Amino acid sequence: MTEIFCDFDGTLTNKDTLVVLLNRYTSSDWYAIEERALSGEIDERDCLRSELALLSAPDDQLMQTLEEEIRPADGLKELVQLVREENWRMQVLSGGLIRFSGSLWRKWGYGDIPLYANDHDRDDDGSIRVIPAITPRIKNLCNHCKRWHLEEAIKRGSKVVYIGDGLTDFCPAEAAHVRYAKGTLLKYLQENSLDVTPFDSLLEVVEDLRTFKVKG
Ligand SMILES: [Mg+2]
């Protein structure tokens, strides 16, 4: 079987949900945290926890902002259609928060496609506290170990395709048989001499998958 694993923010969406919220509701200080993670000074666990601790607006306000700002990426509809035509399996692996990404995903009508992410709670001062995804961890670098989902698919004998764009995609993309990337993920894979097909729009991924026909 062929299994398609997709990052959510910036890959299946027009914008990154957490970037939108941090830009709207915090000072620009969060970007210094992001830079420390991209340079390897801190890992994604500390990065996400530190960034989200800066957010204290209530969930309904944050969700309203996301509903105004976040749209499905061009080509998402076509990607899902191809997956269904080919009887492939698709899973969405988000490094963000399930109450936000999951809510958008269901609203867009894709609730039958599994989406996994972190959860969150609130500290006494109202700031967001990340509750890491419950899935086991391979390298213990991220709150949500996306790679675990791929390793399970590989154990099932599946051919694994990964589509992503950012820091939490580095580790799972390494494990995939076929990779599509943009943003910092593309740079990382190229720097590490791993086979990757660059893309700007998901429509290009769909076109490539159609001709490639990754039959499982
Ligand atoms: Mg992303």
Side-chain angles (χ1 to χ4, degrees):
M1 167 180 302
T2 293
E3 299 198 41
I4 312 285
F5 291 90
C6 300
D7 167 52
F8 183 71
D9 286 290
T11 299
L12 302 186
T13 66
N14 61 333
K15 297 176 189 173
D16 186 302
T17 55
L18 300 180
V19 170
V20 165
L21 296 180
L22 290 164
N23 277 338
R24 176 75 68 93
Y25 293 102
T26 73
S27 72
S28 58
D29 292 352
W30 73 270
Y31 204 74
I33 302 171
E34 190 77 16
E35 298 246 288
R36 290 176 68 203
L38 286 171
S39 71
E41 192 183 330
I42 57 171
D43 66 23
E44 188 272 346
R45 287 176 307 179
D46 291 333
C47 174
L48 188 71
R49 288 172 196 180
S50 304
E51 287 177 353
L52 293 188
L54 300 171
L55 278 173
S56 55
D59 279 3
D60 55 356
Q61 192 178 349
L62 299 178
M63 197 59 224
Q64 191 183 336
T65 298
L66 294 177
E67 284 173 4
E68 289 164 7
E69 298 271 340
I70 306 294
R71 297 282 171 268
D74 288 343
L76 173 57
K77 194 175 64 171
E78 290 81 357
L79 176 63
V80 170
Q81 193 182 340
L82 176 65
V83 166
R84 289 185 173 141
E85 279 168 17
E86 297 295 327
N87 279 321
W88 293 340
R89 185 185 285 186
M90 177 171 171
Q91 295 179 57
V92 182
L93 307 179
S94 168
L97 301 175
I98 191 71
R99 295 187 211 191
F100 300 147
S101 49
S103 174
L104 290 167
W105 192 239
R106 287 191 304 276
K107 264 190 183 131
W108 295 345
Y110 299 123
D112 58 324
I113 298 169
L115 183 152
Y116 302 98
N118 301 298
D119 199 357
H120 72 280
D121 203 344
R122 297 282 176 161
D123 277 332
D124 292 342
D125 64 358
S127 60
I128 287 184
R129 180 163 50 82
V130 178
I131 301 172
I134 56 168
T135 42
R137 284 171 183 72
I138 305 284
K139 290 193 178 176
N140 210 22
L141 295 171
C142 296
N143 286 284
H144 179 197
C145 179
K146 297 182 177 186
R147 184 166 183 148
W148 179 82
H149 300 269
L150 275 75
E151 300 275 8
E152 292 299 299
I154 291 164
K155 277 188 215 163
R156 289 193 283 273
S158 292
K159 181 142 191 176
V160 169
V161 176
Y162 197 82
I163 311 169
D165 76 335
L167 181 65
T168 59
D169 305 316
F170 291 7
C171 183
E174 281 177 6
H177 300 120
V178 179
R179 310 175 185 94
Y180 295 94
K182 60 181 180 175
T184 51
L185 175 63
L186 176 62
K187 188 163 172 269
Y188 174 82
L189 294 172
Q190 287 175 334
E191 281 173 1
N192 288 279
S193 305
L194 290 162
D195 282 342
V196 57
T197 303
F199 75 96
D200 288 316
S201 160
L202 284 176
L203 289 168
E204 295 162 49
V205 176
V206 171
E207 199 51 42
D208 197 67
L209 282 171
R210 268 190 205 288
T211 52
F212 191 70
K213 292 285 183 189
V214 209
K215 294 287 186 189

